[in-house]
Structure formats: C-alpha cells, structure tokens
Amino acid sequence: MATADTAAGVRTVNHWIGGRPVESTSGRSGVVWDPATGEVQAHVAFASADEVDRAVADSARAFTDWRATPLSRRSEILFRLRELVDANRRRIAELLTSEHGKTLPDAMGEVARGLENIEFACGIPNLLKGGFSEQASRGVDVYQIRQPLGVVAGITPFNFPAMVPMWMFANAIACGNTFVLKPSEKDPSVSLFIADLLQRAGLPDGVFNVVQGDRIAVDRLLEHPDVKAVSFVGSTPVAKAIYETATRNGKRVQALGGAKNHMLVLPDADLEMAADAAISAAYGSAGERCMAISVVVAVGKVADPLIDAIRERMAKIRTGPGMDEGNEMGPLITREHRDKVASYLDAAAADGARVAVDGRNDPVCNRPGFFLGASLIDDVKPGMRCYEDEIFGPVLSVCRVDSYDEGLRLINENPFGNGTAIFTRDGGAARQFQFDCDAGMVGINVPIPVPVAYYSFGGWKGSLFGDLHMYGPEGVQFYTRSKVVTSRWPDPGTSKVDLGFPQNR
Ligand code: NAD
C-alpha cells in the first residue's frame, strides 16, 4: 500500500499518481483514527492545489490512449479487477473496519455491493451500443454514438470508502474516461489498495489517480479546466455547494446529499418483520448509512406494540469493536461525531420528545473508542431538532400518526427524499405509496432499498443535486456524451445541387 512510516512509527497515507504511490510535499495532513480504540492509527496527506494539478495533468495525458483503447480490452481489465477484488474481499473489509469502524460482516457486504458495479461495467461493450437508423433519407443513415468526457473527478464520503468509489470509477473508466478520486480523509487507505488492484489488473498508468485531502483539493478539482465532470457523495450542504460551484465552472455534476429516511408502518403490517427491519436499518453500521432508516412513522394502533418489539430487539444488539466476532454494531467515525450524535438526545428531550432508550447508558460507552449505544426517541414531531437534522448515528425516531395520509404528508414535506419504505400486507396500499411518495428509492417491506447495480441510485429533493442518478444505466449516461452522425456516401446516380433545407425524401 502507498503508505510510509514516519519517525514516530505512524504511517502516512499518500497519493497515487501515474501508477504509483506519491509522497505529498504539501506539508499538510490529517489524522486517521481507529474508532474502536480512539487512537491515532495513521496520518493522511492533504494535497495542495499543485499536487491536484499534477494528478489531473497525468490523467489528461492518459486519456488520449485510454479513450482509443478497444472496448474488449477495457472490459478485459475490468474482468481482471473483478477477480482481484473478489480474491481480496476479506483484506478490503479489514481495512474498512479498521478505519471506519463498521463490523467485518457489514464491511464484507459493502465490498459485495461495490463489486456489483464492477461486474456491471464489465458489460461495457454492450452498454455503449448506440442506435442506427438505416435509410433515414434516401442513401442517408443516421447513428448515435456515446463518447467519454475526459478527466472526471469523484469526491467520496467516509461511510462507504470502497463501495461509493466503485459506484463511480467502474463506469467512468469503462466508458473511456480517466478518473481522479478524492476519498474521505477519515478512512483513506482503501483507495490506495484499490489503485494497486487496478494496476495489477492491467489498467494503464494515469487512468485512475488518487489525491488525498480536504477542501483545498476539492476546490481545485472543481475549478480545474481539464476536469470535465464531478461525481460527489456526501452531506447535503456540501453537495449543494459543490453542485453550484462545479456547474458555474461549466462541469457536468451529480452531487448526492444526505437523507432522513422514513419507514411507514401500517396497522396491518407484519409486526415482527417490521421490527426486525427497523432495527437492521436504523442501527446497522451504527446508523452511518445514507439509506439508514432514521424515522419510523407508526400509523394508529401499531405504534405501541411496534415500539415494544423494537425495544426488545435493541436490548439484544451486541455493540463493540467491529473486528471482534459476534459484534453487530461498531463505533462511530470520530469522537466529535459521536458527541454530536449524542447531543441530539438532549435536544430531543428539551424539544418535548421522549428519549425511550438513551444509548449513552450502554456499558459500551465505557470503552475507549467512539461508541454510542442504540438509542430510541418516541413522540418525535416536525420542528424538533432531532427530526429536522440528519443525525447519522444509531438514533431511531418514532413519529406517531393517525392515518396513511398523515404519514405520507410527513414524508413528502421532509426536505430530504433519498429512500423511504412502507410496511404493510396490503398490495393496494403499497402500490398507492409507491405512486404517492416523493423519494428516489422506495422499499415495499424492504427497509434499505439500495438499487442493484443494473438500476441507478439517487434521491430526490435535498438528497440529490443534478439530473442523473449514480451508477447503472444513468451512470453510463453521466460519463458519456452523445454524438449523432448523419452520413451519406458518394453515389453519382443521386448527387445533385439542392440549396433547400435537408428533408426526408
Ligand atoms: P461530507 O460532506 O462531510 O464529506 C464528503 C466529501 O466531501 C469528503 O471527501 C470530504 O473531504 C469533502 N468535503 C467535506 N467538506 C467539504 C467542503 N466544505 N468543501 C469541499 N469538500 C468537502 O460527508 P461525510 O461526513 O464524509 O459523509 C456522510 C454524509 O454523506 C451523510 O450526510 C450521508 O447521508 C451522505 N451520504 C450520501 C449518500 C447518497 O448516496 N446520497 C451516500 C453516502 C453518504
């Protein structure tokens, strides 16, 4: 891996440019914590604008040959990458767990869902087929082709340090672009592991570069004239700012933001199934998922038994270091984030909600890492801070409503629109919900409806800025632009001067 040991024995996570690790010269760096112990485990270089320029220049150089590389050769490299990621699932998952904190089985799930995107991109020769209309006019054919954009950048969040980059770069490079990744500074090491695998798969130098860093690196990517498109995933305020800056600079942008995902539980729902789903979707990955369920909307008489069933399950969640077998929930990413998440429990009480389970009382909080036990807030209402903000931690809120219509209104009035789910046995109600709800991804008795790689991922409202969703067919569309060719070949028998506007004959 592209890390170097410092004199103090703490490794430094560096950049990857031109097919090899590159030590930073910026003199700036950040800390990579071990969330399970609360100790510093590495430093991460923060790129200067000059270092970003160097990576972009390298990617721009590589683009000329890469876009001319035959589709079958690109596909072959992706197939090899697929095999390498598959063979290294465990190693990648361990890296994720050590820097993010999620449990090893959860990290294995992240790798599997990322791998799907590489598998999808292996089919690029088929995905890039254009259309052809023979005889659009006499002797005239019209066809459409899709061409790559050039250097494209990906800026990714801490919560899926392997999967989200795979959402982006697999399609981007398959389409013939070169890619500069700016990973989250909180868990940066896996980006270099992936860069190394790509090189072993046969990817030419410069097609995939990594610049580590913070806002300085991001700002330079957003203004660099050779960066043609930006894919971003992260919190809503940053997504909005990135969308505005990058579009102002003439770039194509897809910026996926934060979420507040509601799960509507109708009185006829299978209660056990709904309670299992709420627990899995609220507390998996310690709630640090953009598709986590953070609000249960309980309709009518289902509320009390549902809350009892949820509490019963909460008491059994095993929280502890993600590397230890049997643990189901790990720590949060940093101490600062853990404290911020916990502060919503006090805010909830102050705003008139009822803290039914306070995770700060969980014995796991006595450990040195950034732990917080699973928490539950009842009687939550719009206007309360715990409802309005994305908490991004193991805190589940319950809103009690009297009817489907009231629940739907709550969901549709929320400024986020990433995912939502309905739990019911009534097919008609489920179909109505699918029709009515303002969200980009909908689950019917499925709490985390992350689309498979051959569909596309994206929310509505404050959860996405831009037109196209990420990965799948819309990913291919995002990373290419179309060109329509109208062609005719010399035929002495039909050629004549005609100054009229071309029309079909
Ligand atoms: P974040 O917005 O803090 O950071 C995301 C990326 O942007 C990182 O690479 C970071 O270095 C960079 N960044 C941060 N602040 C910046 C600034 N002011 N200017 C320029 N760049 C900046 O997000 P995070 O904390 O890493 O991730 C969690 C957030 O991501 C949550 O809000 C979550 O909902 C969201 N998320 C959304 C999706 C989705 O698909 N919609 C998926 C995963 C995560």
Side-chain angles (χ1 to χ4, degrees):
M1 253 203 306
T3 57
D5 288 339
T6 62
V10 176
R11 72 194 158 89
T12 297
V13 184
N14 276 305
H15 314 306
W16 181 282
I17 302 172
R20 62 184 183 85
V22 171
E23 271 187 42
S24 179
T25 50
S26 73
R28 296 190 317 119
S29 63
V31 163
V32 182
W33 298 98
D34 176 348
T37 63
E39 286 166 10
V40 175
Q41 62 167 308
H43 290 125
V44 54
F46 281 179
S48 63
D50 285 349
E51 286 171 317
V52 172
D53 285 356
R54 187 173 154 197
V56 174
D58 188 64
S59 295
R61 251 191 320 274
F63 177 64
T64 310
D65 277 352
W66 182 242
R67 71 164 292 208
T69 301
L71 287 171
S72 57
R73 171 77 185 134
R74 287 189 230 155
S75 174
E76 188 188 337
I77 291 169
L78 285 158
F79 268 108
R80 260 196 242 124
L81 176 68
R82 193 245 163 243
E83 294 307 299
L84 285 165
V85 172
D86 184 42
N88 285 281
R89 279 176 198 251
R90 171 93 190 182
R91 182 75 197 96
I92 298 170
E94 284 170 354
L95 268 178
L96 297 175
T97 297
S98 73
E99 292 188 357
H100 175 281
K102 60 179 73 178
T103 65
L104 209 48
D106 190 28
M108 293 290 280
E110 171 175 353
V111 180
R113 293 304 304 262
L115 192 54
E116 275 183 14
N117 292 275
I118 297 170
E119 287 165 354
F120 177 80
C122 287
I124 199 66
N126 202 39
L127 294 165
L128 279 186
K129 272 186 186 166
F132 191 100
S133 301
E134 186 187 51
Q135 202 70 351
S137 185
R138 285 191 191 280
V140 174
D141 301 325
V142 178
Y143 50 97
Q144 188 212 26
I145 50 181
R146 300 203 71 89
Q147 297 190 327
L149 307 174
V151 181
V152 299
I155 300 153
T156 52
F158 80 82
N159 65 328
F160 285 108
M163 181 183 78
V164 170
M166 289 176 188
W167 283 3
M168 299 174 181
F169 79 74
N171 281 331
I173 63 176
C175 290
N177 303 283
T178 53
F179 190 89
V180 179
L181 173 65
K182 205 303 282 173
S184 168
E185 65 279 28
K186 299 194 175 97
D187 39 21
S189 294
V190 75
S191 63
L192 302 178
F193 193 85
I194 292 170
D196 186 52
L197 294 185
L198 277 161
Q199 200 193 32
R200 285 164 56 194
L203 193 73
D205 295 349
V207 177
F208 180 84
N209 284 326
V210 181
V211 284
Q212 308 291 353
D214 59 358
R215 189 178 174 160
I216 288 184
V218 174
D219 284 348
R220 183 59 191 148
L221 286 169
L222 300 185
E223 72 188 14
H224 198 298
D226 286 347
V227 173
K228 302 300 179 197
V230 174
S231 297
F232 171 86
V233 175
S235 56
T236 288
V238 182
K240 190 165 182 289
I242 284 193
Y243 179 77
E244 285 167 358
T245 307
T247 48
R248 202 168 43 242
N249 292 340
K251 302 185 194 319
R252 186 178 285 198
V253 192
Q254 49 180 188
L256 277 60
K260 194 85 182 173
N261 305 313
H262 295 62
M263 166 174 161
L264 184 66
V265 184
L266 300 191
D268 73 338
D270 180 323
L271 201 73
E272 302 298 313
M273 185 190 194
D276 286 344
I279 291 285
S280 314
Y283 304 119
S285 201
E288 291 174 328
R289 290 181 185 143
C290 67
M291 289 294 275
I293 289 292
S294 46
V295 184
V296 163
V297 183
V299 179
K301 63 180 172 32
V302 80
D304 286 332
L306 180 63
I307 288 168
D308 288 347
I310 287 174
R311 290 187 67 150
E312 198 182 295
R313 286 161 174 77
M314 286 176 76
K316 294 184 190 146
I317 296 174
R318 281 163 296 176
T319 307
M323 219 56 109
D324 294 0
E325 212 178 316
N327 284 337
E328 296 165 300
M329 191 170 96
L332 285 109
I333 185 73
T334 57
R335 178 175 290 113
E336 189 190 17
H337 184 58
R338 190 266 316 272
D339 294 347
K340 183 172 173 220
V341 170
S343 75
Y344 281 100
L345 298 168
D346 291 332
D351 289 346
R354 198 166 59 77
V355 179
V357 180
D358 189 330
R360 291 172 295 190
N361 299 327
D362 191 312
V364 78
C365 296
N366 299 327
R367 298 186 70 110
F370 310 140
F371 290 99
L372 177 66
S375 304
L376 185 69
I377 312 175
D378 197 0
D379 288 327
V380 171
K381 295 190 171 50
M384 295 178 175
R385 280 162 287 178
C386 66
Y387 181 79
E388 296 300 326
D389 294 357
E390 180 186 36
I391 299 178
F392 219 57
V395 178
L396 179 63
S397 297
V398 179
C399 292
R400 294 168 180 250
V401 295
D402 289 332
S403 64
Y404 167 87
D405 286 340
E406 192 185 340
L408 179 74
R409 199 162 48 246
L410 188 74
I411 294 168
N412 286 355
E413 283 175 1
N414 192 278
F416 295 106
N418 215 35
T420 186
I422 185 167
F423 279 71
T424 178
R425 287 190 171 94
D426 181 339
R431 191 179 178 285
Q432 192 61 43
F433 182 71
Q434 159 206 310
F435 185 80
D436 288 335
C437 69
D438 289 343
M441 294 167 283
V442 182
I444 295 176
N445 296 311
V446 172
I448 309 182
V450 175
V452 287
Y454 38 97
Y455 285 81
S456 299
F457 182 109
W460 287 11
K461 301 189 278 185
S463 297
L464 182 134
F465 302 87
D467 303 315
L468 290 172
H469 288 194
M470 206 163 271
Y471 71 71
E474 292 190 46
V476 173
Q477 211 181 327
F478 180 78
Y479 288 122
T480 52
R481 51 188 173 170
S482 84
K483 191 178 264 179
V484 178
V485 182
T486 304
S487 91
R488 180 170 68 171
W489 293 93
D491 176 353
T494 60
S495 178
K496 65 174 167 90
V497 173
D498 181 355
L499 271 64
F501 197 65
Q503 53 182 298
N504 298 336
R505 295 205 168 93

